[in-house]
């Protein structure tokens, strides 16, 4: 048996063990094909079935109708920061909740004159902004649903008149979504969906007519919609893996069950943070993320010791992002309840509580 730690890394992050095992079994031979999943043509009938299955899994989980396109692209969420304004227009409203939304804004600024509709930078992004100054005629409104670094999350994204574009890299498929609020959702896979190297893009087909013909072929969404994400060689292994993850989520009971489990996991951690004097949450309670739980030690001099003792217990990846410090426990879909329980047990013991 391979020894596995509880991996609280923010991304690439822990993946469901059942899925890893199944993927491993198909590395040498996909079923009885005699060639592994990474070795077959992206134009083969075997791969057609895999990409169709992954798309169908995403469609079933989110309840997407035919007026939505599902794409598997490359270049990470960071490439979407520029593709979105290149295709939809840059005169957009951005809600700033941390480093990722700032990076997204910066890409739009290279292309036009986006506006900042709200920002919580003044308080070092320790909360979500409440007052949004949104224009009905903005090309789109951009939000980051879950701020991976600071640990804030919109429980519900804002209702907007302009089309809402959401970077959901760190909470995609963690809960059911009210699709009526969204025009487009994108997510790098490496937090909640699978390995790095594939980016899921879900968009209303009605947006496609906006893309200027002058765009580089690879940066135009129409290219990928027309070719079913196979204009060039797609990240075949990542797409395969996402398909397995959608099946795994369905076997867990779907997005509502995922959400319940995620809420219970986060609650256990926040209860420990609020109930033990040594710990203090770094985010205002109403803005807390269910995916990335951030806190610090009230005695900062013990932080190094906290992290090294945790690691010795098999609790890895807990060091906070360099821009926030402290501790960050990333508890995406694939983090088992037992991992959170082990962390909470360690926190109590370390604090002598
Ligand atoms: C990790 C992350 C990104 C960056 O994704 P890449 O795939 O590395 O480009 C962007 N946005 C959010 C919210 C993230 O968590």
């Amino acid at each position: 048996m391979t020894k596995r730690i509880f991996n609280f890394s923010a991304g690439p992050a822990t993946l469901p063990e059942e899925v890893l095992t199944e993927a491993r079994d198909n590395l040498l031979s996909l079923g009885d094909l005699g060639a592994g999943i990474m070795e077959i043509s992206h134009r083969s009938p075997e791969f057609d079935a895999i990409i169709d299955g992954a798309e169908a899994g995403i469609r079933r989980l989110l309840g997407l109708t035919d007026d939505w396109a599902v794409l598997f692209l490359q270049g990470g969420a960071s490439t979407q920061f520029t593709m979105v304004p290149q295709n939809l227009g840059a005169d957009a409203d951005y809600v700033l909740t941390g480093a990722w939304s700032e990076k997204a804004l910066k890409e739009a600024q290279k292309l036009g004159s986006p506006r900042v509709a709200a920002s919580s930078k003044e308080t070092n992004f320790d909360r979500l902004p409440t007052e949004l100054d949104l224009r009905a005629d903005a090309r789109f409104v951009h939000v980051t649903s879950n701020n991976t670094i600071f640990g804030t999350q919109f429980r519900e994204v804002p209702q907007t008149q302009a089309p809402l574009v959401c970077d959901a890299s760190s909470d995609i498929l963690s809960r059911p979504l009210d699709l009526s609020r969204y025009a487009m959702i994108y997510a790098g896979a490496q937090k909640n969906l699978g390995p790095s190297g594939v980016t899921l893009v879900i968009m209303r087909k009605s947006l496609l007519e906006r893309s200027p013909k002058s765009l580089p072929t690879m940066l135009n969404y129409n290219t990928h919609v027309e070719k079913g994400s196979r204009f060039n060689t797609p990240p075949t292994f990542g797409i395969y893996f996402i398909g397995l993850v959608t099946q795994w989520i369905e076997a867990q009971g779907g997005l509502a069950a995922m959400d319940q489990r995620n809420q219970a996991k986060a609650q256990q951690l926040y209860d420990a943070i609020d109930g033990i004097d040594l710990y203090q949450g770094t985010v205002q309670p109403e803005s807390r993320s269910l995916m990335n739980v951030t806190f610090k030690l009230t005695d900062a001099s013990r932080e190094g010791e906290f992290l090294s003792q945790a690691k010795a217990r098999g609790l890895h990846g807990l060091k906070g992002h360099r821009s926030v410090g402290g501790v960050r426990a990333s508890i995406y879909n694939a983090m088992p309840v037992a991992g959170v329980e082990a962390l909470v047990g360690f926190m109590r013991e370390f604090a002598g509580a």
Side-chain angles (χ1 to χ4, degrees):
M1 254 312 271
T2 312
K3 177 176 166 283
R4 301 260 301 163
I5 54 163
F6 287 122
N7 173 14
F8 293 91
S9 163
T14 197
L15 293 169
E17 223 168 284
E18 298 94 318
V19 174
L20 288 167
T21 306
E22 178 162 357
R24 180 189 61 189
D25 292 345
N26 288 292
L27 285 184
L28 283 170
S29 176
L30 181 66
D32 56 10
L33 190 67
I37 172 60
M38 288 190 280
E39 303 172 298
I40 59 170
S41 168
H42 59 295
R43 310 256 177 235
S44 63
E46 288 82 8
F47 188 72
D48 286 345
I50 283 170
I51 194 169
D52 290 349
E55 175 173 341
I58 298 286
R59 284 187 180 278
R60 274 195 309 274
L61 284 171
L62 289 171
L64 298 174
T65 47
D66 273 351
D67 47 346
W68 289 82
V70 175
L71 300 174
F72 300 100
L73 305 182
Q74 301 189 62
S78 300
T79 296
Q80 294 310 306
F81 296 165
T82 186
M83 270 180 87
V84 169
Q86 291 207 44
N87 283 267
L88 306 189
D91 189 12
D93 286 350
Y94 279 72
V95 178
L96 299 188
T97 52
W100 295 120
S101 39
E102 285 183 311
K103 283 186 172 165
L105 171 68
K106 215 167 145 189
E107 293 304 311
Q109 283 169 336
K110 289 175 189 269
L111 299 163
S113 307
R115 260 170 85 255
V116 173
S119 171
S120 49
K121 195 182 177 80
E122 229 165 74
T123 56
N124 196 28
F125 300 119
D126 71 340
R127 70 199 68 185
L128 298 166
T130 43
E131 303 272 304
L132 308 186
D133 172 23
L134 299 173
R135 295 169 297 174
D137 62 349
R139 299 300 284 163
F140 60 88
V141 178
H142 185 277
V143 299
T144 310
S145 50
N146 181 75
N147 186 293
T148 324
I149 294 175
F150 294 91
T152 60
Q153 185 180 26
F154 284 98
R155 187 58 208 161
E156 275 189 346
V157 293
Q159 202 143 22
T160 60
Q161 281 174 281
L164 184 80
V165 177
C166 179
D167 175 0
S169 292
S170 51
D171 66 358
I172 184 84
L173 301 190
S174 69
R175 57 185 177 180
L177 295 180
D178 174 4
L179 281 176
S180 70
R181 297 201 174 194
Y182 296 84
M184 179 170 171
I185 301 169
Y186 63 88
Q190 66 272 20
K191 280 107 185 190
N192 235 346
L193 295 176
S196 60
V198 53
T199 307
L200 176 67
V201 173
I202 297 161
M203 64 192 297
R204 289 188 189 272
K205 289 178 182 165
S206 56
L207 294 173
L208 290 166
E209 64 189 36
R210 290 202 200 178
S211 308
K213 297 259 184 303
S214 57
L215 283 181
T217 309
M218 280 294 285
L219 296 185
N220 190 324
Y221 291 119
N222 289 275
T223 302
H224 304 290
V225 171
E226 283 160 19
K227 300 289 181 185
S229 300
R230 277 156 291 178
F231 169 73
N232 70 328
T233 316
T236 53
F237 180 74
I239 294 167
Y240 162 73
F241 205 101
I242 289 178
L244 295 186
V245 166
T246 62
Q247 289 168 24
W248 177 81
I249 293 174
E250 288 184 309
Q252 307 297 303
L255 294 184
M258 232 46 255
D259 185 33
Q260 264 186 3
R261 212 177 78 158
N262 288 329
Q263 291 200 44
K265 287 189 303 187
Q267 190 64 47
Q268 275 199 55
L269 263 172
Y270 287 120
D271 283 349
I273 291 165
D274 293 337
I276 304 171
D277 286 344
L278 181 61
Y279 309 112
Q280 190 180 20
T282 44
V283 165
Q284 300 288 309
E286 65 283 0
S287 299
R288 283 172 165 176
S289 167
L290 303 185
M291 300 281 102
N292 308 94
V293 176
T294 52
F295 59 100
K296 51 189 183 186
L297 273 62
T298 48
D299 178 357
S301 71
R302 296 189 69 195
E303 226 163 72
E305 190 194 346
F306 177 90
L307 293 170
S308 63
Q309 284 192 27
K311 194 165 180 190
R313 299 277 194 96
L315 307 168
H316 290 226
L318 286 164
K319 193 173 166 54
H321 189 271
R322 58 192 181 281
S323 61
V324 190
V327 182
R328 170 175 55 175
S330 298
I331 51 170
Y332 304 120
N333 284 350
M335 172 56 66
V337 176
V340 171
E341 285 171 355
L343 175 56
V344 168
F346 167 70
M347 286 168 69
R348 286 191 196 290
E349 201 183 302
F350 185 82

